[in-house]
Amino acid sequence: GCITAISDCLKDGCSVEAIMKLDKKLAEDEAKLAAIFAEMKNLPKTAYTEENKSTLAWLDNFLRRTGALRAQLLALKGKGNQDDGFVKQMLRAASVAFGGSRNSD
């Protein structure tokens, strides 16, 4: 998945192409989950359960984080290889935000 791709990017180094491939994958996942979110949100009020509420909250959170991550990736695209350390730090932060672990953990 995307977390694996971010992790691989950190280990192997990232090119602008790799960042754009990751952005494309995130966009695809984001679109799928946005459709599920919209579908669930349009369920009749009588169909709401605690599980549905929890799922909607998770989807909303994930979509927000994905949007923020994609914005960061697109900003990094302009950096190219100008500051490799900065790009790696940003990708590491993104990985942690999506459930990865820090080296110090």
Side-chain angles (χ1 to χ4, degrees):
C2 292
I3 300 302
T4 303
I6 291 171
S7 182
D8 289 347
C9 219
L10 285 172
K11 281 189 245 170
D12 303 331
C14 278
S15 65
V16 173
E17 286 176 355
I19 290 172
M20 296 318 300
K21 283 181 184 177
L22 181 55
D23 178 64
K24 182 179 176 185
K25 176 65 176 142
L26 284 172
E28 291 168 0
D29 290 350
E30 185 178 24
K32 289 175 190 173
L33 290 174
I36 293 168
F37 181 76
E39 204 175 292
M40 287 187 74
K41 204 165 182 174
N42 289 325
L43 288 173
K45 298 278 184 209
T46 56
Y48 276 159
T49 64
E50 286 302 314
E51 184 179 344
N52 287 352
K53 289 178 187 177
S54 176
T55 300
L56 280 170
W58 184 89
L59 287 168
D60 184 53
N61 181 278
F62 182 86
L63 290 169
R64 288 175 197 235
R65 290 186 304 160
T66 301
L69 176 58
R70 289 191 62 228
Q72 290 174 359
L73 290 175
L74 291 175
L76 291 175
K77 177 186 175 192
K79 292 257 181 222
N81 289 330
Q82 296 172 10
D83 188 353
D84 194 40
F86 174 74
V87 172
K88 284 184 179 184
Q89 276 186 311
M90 288 299 295
L91 289 170
R92 190 172 294 116
S95 176
V96 169
F98 274 83
S101 62
R102 296 181 297 227
N103 289 338
S104 60
D105 288 349

